[in-house]
Amino acid sequence: MHYATFGRHLELADLANKEGESNMKCKEIMTKDPVCCLPDDEVQKAAKLMKDEDVGVIPIIEDEDTKTLLGIVTDRDLALRVVAEGRNIAGTRIKDVMTTGAVSCRPDDDLQKALDAMEENQVRRIPVVDHNQTIVGIIAQADVATRLSEPKKTAEVVEEISKAQTVGK
């Protein structure tokens, strides 16, 4: 899926630095050990996990042992690729509707790198993987909103990510 791009974006880390959040790492803000699904799971499992865990994205992993990230499935994927297309929920597998090639970051990356990737790719969530592509966490716009300590800066960060979602739509 391609989204419209827009001019030079606000440097979100500068906002963080101004408010005392300098050099935060992704591991400091991420939600650790997110619930995951397998490609052959039915889409209903992903939807139920989203409801039970109150999340809008489920990482899709190769298997339970390696937890190698293959892609993601979002609440929007389910709405557009299952419901809107009139697919049979019982027979539709996650691999048929998931997004592959998800943008990701590493636990020790500067938070700015993740925020830039979220803004540039116009996504509200980004998986965090280790050097083996094993899922170790996820950063959502909600994590930014709830885990950064300065309300004014948090509002600005959320606003910038949200702008990226609506430009060109």
Side-chain angles (χ1 to χ4, degrees):
M1 181 180 304
H2 298 285
Y3 295 97
T5 58
F6 59 102
R8 184 71 187 137
H9 59 273
L10 178 63
E11 292 296 328
L12 298 175
D14 288 346
L15 292 173
N17 290 339
K18 288 176 189 172
E19 301 293 341
E21 298 284 347
S22 63
N23 300 321
M24 282 187 76
K25 301 294 182 191
C26 290
K27 65 185 173 188
E28 295 175 65
I29 196 170
M30 73 181 189
T31 297
K32 296 178 184 173
D33 301 317
V35 294
C36 298
C37 284
L38 301 172
D40 284 325
D41 288 340
E42 291 183 351
V43 293
Q44 187 172 9
K45 179 178 180 180
K48 182 161 178 16
L49 282 172
M50 287 177 189
K51 178 183 177 189
D52 292 348
E53 299 292 325
D54 193 26
V55 296
V57 65
I58 302 289
I60 309 307
I61 55 173
E62 187 172 24
D63 61 59
E64 293 290 340
D65 294 327
T66 65
K67 292 192 175 187
T68 301
L69 182 67
L70 297 177
I72 59 169
V73 67
T74 66
D75 46 5
R76 187 165 201 252
D77 291 333
L78 297 180
L80 298 180
R81 296 179 183 163
V82 178
V83 177
E85 291 180 8
R87 292 183 186 224
N88 179 356
I89 294 170
T92 302
R93 303 283 177 211
I94 291 173
K95 66 184 174 187
D96 298 325
V97 299
M98 70 184 216
T99 300
T100 58
V103 176
S104 62
C105 61
R106 304 236 187 243
D108 288 323
D109 284 349
D110 284 336
L111 178 58
Q112 177 61 45
K113 183 175 179 180
L115 295 174
D116 283 346
M118 291 169 76
E119 186 176 343
E120 290 166 14
N121 292 280
Q122 299 176 332
V123 296
R124 295 178 188 251
R125 308 151 183 118
I126 187 168
V128 182
V129 296
D130 69 12
H131 64 281
N132 292 321
Q133 289 300 109
T134 299
I135 185 88
V136 295
I138 196 158
I139 298 173
Q141 184 175 342
D143 295 320
V144 174
T146 60
R147 295 187 180 145
L148 294 180
S149 62
E150 296 295 327
K152 183 177 179 183
K153 183 202 37 127
T154 298
E156 291 171 358
V157 169
V158 170
E159 180 181 2
E160 287 303 311
I161 292 171
S162 296
K163 277 185 192 175
Q165 281 292 82
T166 60
V167 171
K169 290 190 173 184

